[in-house]
Amino acid sequence: MSSREIVEETLDNTVIDPAVTWTTGNVAEAFPGVFTTLGFTFVNAAVETATRTTFKNLGVLTAKQVCVPDQPEDMFWTLFAGRAAANIDKFREIANITPGTSATAVEQQLFGYVRPETVDANSARRYPVIAVKAPGAVLRLPGRHDAEFAELRRWRLAHLDGIDALDHAGCVALLADARARFQRMLTKHMLVAFVSSGLADRVTDMLADLDLAHLGPALLSGVGSDESEVANDLWALAHEQITLREFTDRHGYHGTNEGQLHGVTWREDPTPVLDRLADYRAVPADSPRAPRARSREQIETRQRALAEVRAALPWGRRGTAAWTVRMAGRWIALREQGKAGYLLTFDIARAVTRRQGALLVSAGVIDRVDDIFHLSYDEVCGGVTDDRRAVVAERRAQYDERCAYRLPQSWAGVPALVKTGESELPALEVAGVITGVAASGGVVEGRARVVRDPATTELDDGDILVCETTDPSWVSLFLVAAGVVTDYGGMLSHGPIVARELGIPCVCGTEDGSYRIRDGQFIRLDGDQGTVTVLG
């Protein structure tokens, strides 16, 4: 059994090269929480293959390098104690042979900061191949991305209502289809993430040269993300402009723990949505806080910032600057669309899995429908017929135990687990300050609400949302929140993008803000300076 197969069996790496560096940055945003056996074996090879195919399409990797290595140290990602981590060293290798980026830029995107020991070692050896392949791959992608996303929406709705009538063979076929579509969408999404990061870096460098760095968040706002449409439709649902079925047809693939196959979506349980409607109902159509009004305001904010940049440039450079900002906005919007795209495949996959789980319960193989998530993808597709209750009980107990721990943001070798909800760092006292990335401008003061589960948290108007990270299921909290503070991420992480689209201040990449700020403390969030101060 290879090391990779051991990881798929145990969902852990207990022995690994101590020189290799890992991070939960960004990957924890895509796949938050603890994996089950089925969840990991469904995505593991697909994620690795999609990542490598992306870089092959750009000319950075060769066709022979599109494979799934046997050793976790050679992969772009793996699991530790059931939680996802990205291989920083592999992404640094890619950055060092790709024009327009560097190891420093990669770490800035992954962490929101650059480690002091980071050294760029750029090489031009792949530049000729990249020069031939990359332009075509990049230029064709936006149209293909839009088409793939539209097809996934159609495909999801075409299959959902018929899943409860599928037999085992039908479940296997549709699950395989969902997996293939997940890999195709993720391949496009990875390229979008790579290009959008490069464009955002170009905007940042341009502003730094002009001594206008403070305009960065404004120029990257008003891009029209998929989550803006979720907020708009939540408001429309609250005001009875659309039905609940219309809402779940459009956005029902979101929900608590949506980045895990065993998560429960709004389509399955709309309670988290219904519980928020009173907040949205309290916002009238003509209010500047209405989602459509917020979107318009952010577009205007972006245009004002661009006008300021153009005024600071010689006439001959203004067109290039406007094009760069426009392209950055287009690709950042695609970045959020890509996340929504692979979540569409997850929604079909989880519905099929629960149907297959019901069949296994009827056959006496497992006790409960969701027990199927503790079997492997190959077991499920192979058609298990023997009793798996003991295996499921063992794996479920291990899953429950791992939910009580979290990983650090970065480490080398095997990580030291940290108890969830605990930190070795002391709580911030009055006048205490934490710093992060100034991701969305503005200054607000309010009560800190430290949130671990968006489905079980009530925010009052004006509260400041403080959390480790966010995913699209958190968008229902953003309209109420006065600001957002996250432990993980950089300018192009989910939370900052949505905060900018809704025009609320955000500081991200604080590393441990949600563990040093206490729930209920009165704080000042400065999205212009990237600081959070405890006031009382």
Side-chain angles (χ1 to χ4, degrees):
M1 184 180 290
S2 69
S3 296
R4 174 175 54 82
E5 291 171 325
I6 292 173
V7 174
E8 291 189 342
E9 175 70 24
T10 64
L11 309 184
D12 196 9
N13 279 279
T14 56
V15 178
I16 201 160
D17 187 343
V20 178
T21 309
W22 303 87
T23 178
T24 51
N26 280 14
V27 69
E29 184 178 288
F31 305 113
V34 178
F35 272 92
T36 62
T37 299
L38 181 57
F40 184 60
T41 53
F42 178 80
V43 302
N44 185 28
V47 171
E48 187 70 20
T49 303
T51 305
R52 290 171 177 268
T53 300
T54 295
F55 294 127
K56 187 264 293 182
N57 292 343
L58 286 172
V60 179
L61 295 181
T62 67
K64 289 184 178 180
Q65 291 174 297
V66 180
C67 60
V68 182
D70 286 334
Q71 301 300 320
E73 292 92 338
D74 297 325
M75 297 181 69
F76 281 90
W77 85 306
T78 189
L79 297 189
F80 293 89
R83 294 181 183 265
N87 187 332
I88 299 176
D89 297 332
K90 292 298 296 183
F91 282 100
R92 284 166 51 93
E93 287 176 19
I94 292 295
N96 283 332
I97 58 177
T98 304
T101 189
S102 63
T104 296
V106 165
E107 291 200 2
Q108 183 66 49
Q109 288 298 331
L110 287 174
F111 304 141
Y113 65 90
V114 180
R115 295 174 300 160
E117 64 269 25
T118 298
V119 176
D120 292 337
N122 291 72
S123 167
R125 62 184 175 84
R126 293 290 298 176
Y127 284 13
V129 180
I130 294 170
V132 172
K133 299 187 70 172
V138 172
L139 290 173
R140 291 191 297 267
L141 185 60
R144 292 181 174 181
H145 201 283
D146 288 342
E148 180 91 10
F149 184 66
E151 166 58 17
L152 285 174
R153 282 192 176 279
R154 184 208 61 78
W155 168 79
R156 170 179 172 268
L157 292 178
H159 284 285
L160 274 177
D161 288 340
I163 287 175
D164 283 345
L166 292 178
D167 59 9
H168 170 70
C171 287
V172 170
L174 188 52
L175 189 60
D177 186 20
R179 192 190 203 193
R181 290 173 185 269
F182 166 75
Q183 182 174 314
R184 288 200 301 271
M185 187 72 246
L186 190 63
T187 300
K188 292 180 176 66
H189 175 62
M190 291 292 295
L191 182 51
V192 164
F194 196 72
V195 174
S196 61
S197 296
L199 287 168
D201 288 340
R202 289 183 63 179
V203 171
T204 300
D205 292 343
M206 174 183 68
L207 294 175
D209 290 341
L210 297 172
D211 198 24
L212 295 174
H214 63 281
L215 294 179
L219 286 180
L220 299 179
S221 67
V223 302
S225 71
D226 184 70
E227 276 70 36
S228 295
E229 293 305 309
V230 178
N232 294 334
D233 283 347
L234 276 168
W235 185 92
L237 176 63
H239 290 263
E240 300 181 345
Q241 295 180 3
I242 62 174
T243 66
L244 180 59
R245 176 59 188 262
E246 287 174 317
F247 179 84
T248 56
D249 278 353
R250 295 176 192 175
H251 310 295
Y253 53 91
H254 291 308
T256 304
N257 212 17
E258 63 188 28
Q260 291 290 348
L261 207 59
H262 63 280
V264 177
T265 62
W266 294 337
R267 170 185 57 79
E268 298 169 294
D269 180 10
T271 302
V273 171
L274 299 176
D275 287 345
R276 302 289 177 206
L277 293 188
D279 296 327
Y280 284 75
R281 200 174 292 120
V283 180
D286 58 355
S287 169
R289 295 178 61 241
R292 292 288 184 200
R294 291 184 181 210
S295 296
R296 287 192 297 269
E297 172 59 28
Q298 290 312 107
I299 292 172
E300 293 171 4
T301 297
R302 187 167 175 240
Q303 292 304 317
R304 288 193 296 268
L306 179 57
E308 189 173 343
V309 171
R310 287 170 62 90
L313 287 168
W315 183 88
R317 293 177 56 192
R318 293 176 183 176
T320 300
W323 180 87
T324 301
V325 170
R326 185 171 66 253
M327 286 299 100
R330 167 73 162 130
W331 284 78
I332 290 171
L334 287 175
R335 190 180 181 113
E336 294 305 292
Q337 186 189 79
K339 291 180 181 178
Y342 69 68
L343 290 173
L344 288 166
T345 69
F346 267 34
D347 202 32
I348 288 291
R350 65 168 54 90
V352 171
T353 299
R354 289 195 165 107
R355 167 58 181 168
Q356 183 68 29
L359 295 175
L360 293 183
V361 169
S362 298
V365 173
I366 56 178
D367 286 330
R368 298 176 297 182
V369 169
D370 275 19
D371 287 349
I372 191 172
F373 291 107
H374 295 291
L375 303 179
S376 72
Y377 178 78
D378 288 342
E379 286 176 311
V380 170
C381 292
V384 291
T385 57
D386 57 317
D387 191 322
R388 295 301 173 96
R389 292 180 177 89
V391 171
V392 165
E394 180 181 352
R395 290 175 177 172
R396 189 193 306 114
Q398 186 179 63
Y399 169 85
D400 291 340
E401 180 182 359
R402 286 171 173 169
C403 285
Y405 294 91
R406 61 186 175 93
L407 300 175
Q409 188 171 8
S410 64
W411 68 91
V414 177
L417 300 181
V418 182
K419 192 78 172 177
T420 299
E422 294 182 359
S423 173
E424 296 178 354
L425 298 171
L428 286 177
E429 302 294 339
V430 174
V433 179
I434 58 172
T435 60
V437 177
S440 184
V443 180
V444 292
E445 296 180 359
R447 180 180 63 160
R449 293 308 312 273
V450 179
V451 178
R452 305 296 174 200
D453 182 354
T456 60
T457 299
E458 289 296 328
L459 258 67
D460 292 332
D461 193 26
D463 285 348
I464 296 175
L465 172 62
V466 181
C467 57
E468 289 188 358
T469 186
T470 68
D471 60 41
S473 70
W474 291 65
V475 73
S476 60
L477 297 178
F478 276 64
L479 183 68
V480 181
V484 179
V485 181
T486 67
D487 295 352
Y488 298 155
M491 286 287 287
L492 299 187
S493 295
H494 172 266
I497 290 176
V498 177
R500 290 194 295 271
E501 290 304 290
L502 295 178
I504 60 177
C506 176
V507 174
C508 66
T510 62
E511 297 188 56
D512 50 28
S514 73
Y515 291 90
R516 300 193 64 195
I517 297 170
R518 291 295 182 255
D519 188 67
Q521 284 184 319
F522 195 69
I523 62 175
R524 176 188 295 120
L525 188 165
D526 189 333
D528 298 313
Q529 299 299 320
T531 61
V532 183
T533 306
V534 174
L535 302 179

